[in-house]
C-alpha cells in the first residue's frame, strides 16, 4: 500500500500558551511561512498539547483565540494553507492511542523536553509523558514530509520517525517518514538576558505587545560593560544577534563592522527598536483588523478543521485496516 501520494507536505503546530515572541516568529512562524509556497501546507494550534500545562479554562480559551489571530496576522493564507485547532479533529487523539500501544517506554523516557518540564515543576501527568506520541500522531495523520520546528522540538520529530518506522515494520507500510526542518541560523533566538528566548524565562520581546512593552524589552537587553565608544564584539552582543535576524547578509556585515568600530549599545538598541517596529507594523495592523471580525475568523477555523478532517480520516482508516480493526 502506498503510504503517500504527496511529493511534499509541510506541517507544523504551535501551542497556544502565551504571547508570541520574537523567538517563536523567527524559530517557527517565519520558517513555516517561507515553506508555504511549496506544496500543501498544514498548520494547527496544538490545544490538546497545551492541556498538559494549562488547566485554566478561561486562560486556554483566550490563548487559543489569540494565537489564531497571531498566525493570520503573521501572514498565513487560509486559502492556501489549512489552519485549524487540533482538538477539532478527533483523529489526532484516536491515533495517539494506537501509536501509544507500540511506543516503547524507553523511547519516551529519553525525551528531554519531558524531563525539563518536570524539573521546572510541571505536574508529571500521563499526558505530559505521552506528549511526543500525540505529536507523532499530528504529523503522521497528514503524511507530512517536512516539519519545520525549532531545535528544541527536533527530538520529538525523531520520535515520530521512530514510531512511523516501528508501525510500518509491524503492520506494513502505512506512514510517510517525516523530516524535521531546522533553520540553523535562527535555531535559537536569544532572549533579552542572553539565554534562549522563552516565555518561561521572562526574557521575551512580544510581537503583538504594546509599543511601550516592546520598547521596554528592547531597551532592557543585557549588554557587557564596554565603555560607550569602545570596540564591541558583535558575536557576543545580544542586541546585534537579534538585529541581524532582520537583515540580509550585506547589512549584517555592515552593522557588525559598526559595532567593531564602537557603535554604542544605546544607539544599537534604538536602531533595533526602529527595525522591529517597521518590520512588524503591518502585522500588528492586520491583527487589529482581524480582532474586530470574530465571525470571519471562526469561519476560517471551521473550514480549516473540515479540510483537515477529510485528510486525517483517510489516514485513520488506513491505520485501522492495517492493525485489523477495520
Ligand atoms: P517558549 O519557549 O516561549 O515556551 P514554545 O515552546 O511555545 O516557546 O515554542 C513554540 C515554537 O517556537 C517552537 O517551534 C519553538 O521551537 C520555537 N521557539 C521558541 N523559542 C524559540 C527561540 N528562542 N528560538 C528559536 N525558536 C524558538
Ligand atoms: N510541540 C510543539 C511545540 O511545542 C507543537 C507541536 C505539536 C507540533 N504538534 C506538532 C509541531 C506537530 C510540529 C508538528 O512547539
Amino acid at each position: 500500500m502506498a503510504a503517500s501520494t504527496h511529493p511534499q507536505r509541510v506541517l507544523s503546530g504551535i501551542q497556544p500558551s502565551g504571547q508570541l515572541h520574537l523567538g517563536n516568529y523567527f524559530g517557527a512562524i517565519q520558517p513555516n511561512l517561507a515553506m508555504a509556497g511549496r506544496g500543501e501546507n498544514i498548520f494547527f494550534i496544538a490545544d490538546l498539547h497545551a492541556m498538559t500545562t494549562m488547566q485554566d479554562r478561561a486562560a486556554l480559551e483566550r490563548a487559543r483565540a489569540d494565537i489564531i489571530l497571531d498566525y493570520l496576522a503573521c501572514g498565513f493564507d487560509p486559502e492556501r494553507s489549512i489552519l485549524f485547532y487540533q482538538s477539532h479533529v478527533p483523529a489526532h487523539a484516536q491515533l495517539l492511542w494506537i501509536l501509544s500501544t507500540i511506543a516503547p517506554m524507553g523511547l519516551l523516557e529519553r525525551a528531554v523536553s519531558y524531563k525539563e518540564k518536570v524539573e521546572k515543576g510541571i505536574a508529571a501527568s500521563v499526558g505530559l509523558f505521552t506528549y511526543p506520541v500525540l505529536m507523532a500522531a499530528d504529523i503522521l495523520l497528514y503524511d507530512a514530509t517536512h516539519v519545520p520546528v525549532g531545535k528544541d522540538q527536533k527530538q520529538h520529530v525523531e520520535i515520530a520517525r521512530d514510531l512511523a518506522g516501528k508501525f510500518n515494520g509491524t503492520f506494513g507500510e502505512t506512514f510517510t517518514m517525516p523530516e524535521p526542518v531546522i533553520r540553523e541560523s535562527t535555531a535559537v533566538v536569544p532572549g533579552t538576558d542572553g539565554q534562549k528566548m522563552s516565555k518561561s524565562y521572562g526574557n521575551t520581546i512580544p510581537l503583538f505587545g504594546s509599543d511601550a512593552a516592546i520598547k521596554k524589552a528592547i531597551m532592557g537587553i543585557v549588554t557587557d560593560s564596554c565603555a560607550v565608544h569602545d570596540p564591541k564584539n558583535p558575536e557576543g552582543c545580544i542586541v546585534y544577534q537579534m538585529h541581524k535576524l532582520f537583515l540580509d547578509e550585506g547589512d549584517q556585515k555592515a552593522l557588525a563592522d559598526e559595532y567593531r568600530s564602537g557603535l554604542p549599545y544605546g544607539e544599537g538598541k534604538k536602531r533595533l527598536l526602529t527595525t522591529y517596529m517597521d518590520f512588524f507594523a503591518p502585522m500588528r495592523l492586520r491583527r487589529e483588523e482581524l480582532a474586530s471580525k470574530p465571525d470571519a475568523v471562526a469561519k476560517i477555523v471551521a473550514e480549516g478543521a473540515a479540510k483537515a478532517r477529510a485528510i486525517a480520516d483517510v489516514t485513520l482508516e488506513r491505520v485501522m485496516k492495517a492493525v485489523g480493526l477495520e
Side-chain angles (χ1 to χ4, degrees):
M1 185 188 330
S4 170
T5 50
H6 308 283
Q8 168 155 316
R9 180 175 273 161
V10 179
L11 171 140
S12 201
I14 192 163
Q15 286 197 63
S17 42
Q19 273 196 326
L20 276 193
H21 56 69
L22 193 65
N24 300 139
Y25 184 78
F26 283 109
I29 295 175
Q30 199 202 44
N32 291 352
L33 285 170
M35 294 189 85
R38 309 204 247 138
E40 190 176 13
N41 302 284
I42 299 182
F43 299 101
F44 61 90
I45 309 305
D47 51 3
L48 295 175
H49 276 114
M51 288 186 70
T52 57
T53 48
M54 283 178 103
Q55 278 125 17
D56 173 334
R57 180 196 159 133
L60 182 60
E61 265 179 356
R62 191 170 354 101
R64 203 174 77 148
D66 271 350
I67 201 146
I68 274 287
L69 293 178
D70 294 344
Y71 253 55
L72 290 169
C74 286
F76 279 89
D77 177 356
E79 298 294 324
R80 276 171 49 192
S81 300
I82 301 178
L83 184 63
F84 63 101
Y85 292 134
Q86 181 189 32
S87 63
H88 286 184
V89 182
H92 290 242
Q94 288 168 283
L95 185 58
L96 154 70
W97 175 257
I98 294 182
L99 291 177
S100 74
T101 63
I102 57 142
M105 285 296 286
L107 180 68
L108 299 184
E109 276 161 1
R110 287 194 294 277
V112 175
S113 147
Y114 172 75
K115 283 183 255 185
E116 280 178 0
K117 285 177 181 166
V118 173
E119 270 163 28
K120 264 197 256 158
I122 294 172
S125 66
V126 175
L128 191 69
F129 187 69
T130 55
Y131 182 113
V133 188
L134 178 59
M135 186 155 156
D138 299 339
I139 295 169
L140 301 179
L141 266 181
Y142 298 93
D143 288 318
T145 54
H146 296 79
V147 184
V149 283
K151 225 179 197 161
D152 58 321
Q153 295 294 317
K154 187 167 178 240
Q155 191 189 22
H156 288 159
V157 182
E158 281 159 3
I159 292 175
R161 289 172 59 88
D162 286 344
L163 295 179
K166 177 121 193 258
F167 189 99
N168 288 349
T170 310
F171 298 108
E173 278 304 305
T174 306
F175 292 125
T176 300
M177 208 42 93
E179 293 287 341
V181 182
I182 316 281
R183 289 212 325 184
E184 287 302 333
S185 60
T186 53
V188 176
V189 176
T192 53
D193 60 357
Q195 297 187 77
K196 169 191 180 270
M197 185 178 289
S198 170
K199 58 187 161 299
S200 39
Y201 300 146
N203 62 359
T204 63
I205 305 184
L207 293 194
F208 297 110
S210 66
D211 290 9
I214 292 169
K215 183 169 181 197
K216 186 163 173 243
I218 289 181
M219 298 317 280
I221 295 172
V222 173
T223 50
D224 64 23
S225 54
C226 276
V228 180
H229 294 289
D230 272 1
K232 323 270 182 319
N233 170 17
E235 297 316 315
C237 167
I238 308 163
V239 189
Y240 173 75
Q241 293 303 322
M242 277 187 199
H243 203 152
K244 80 177 200 190
L245 298 167
F246 297 91
L247 305 177
D248 62 27
E249 237 171 83
D251 288 343
Q252 287 183 10
K253 195 176 164 307
L255 183 62
D257 286 343
E258 282 198 74
Y259 274 105
R260 287 191 199 97
S261 316
L263 180 73
Y265 286 131
E267 172 60 21
K269 287 179 184 178
K270 278 192 210 147
R271 289 198 203 169
L272 171 60
L273 179 61
T274 305
T275 304
Y276 193 99
M277 285 307 194
D278 287 350
F279 185 85
F280 289 113
M283 299 177 215
R284 289 160 64 83
L285 193 67
R286 189 162 150 68
R287 195 182 186 288
E288 271 176 35
E289 284 166 14
L290 286 162
S292 67
K293 295 181 200 150
D295 291 348
V297 175
K299 186 161 172 269
I300 290 172
V301 174
E303 286 174 359
K307 287 189 214 160
R309 276 196 295 268
I311 301 171
D313 287 350
V314 171
T315 310
L316 194 65
E317 227 172 86
R318 199 164 78 212
V319 170
M320 290 310 223
K321 199 168 172 183
V323 300
L325 296 177
E326 201 177 353

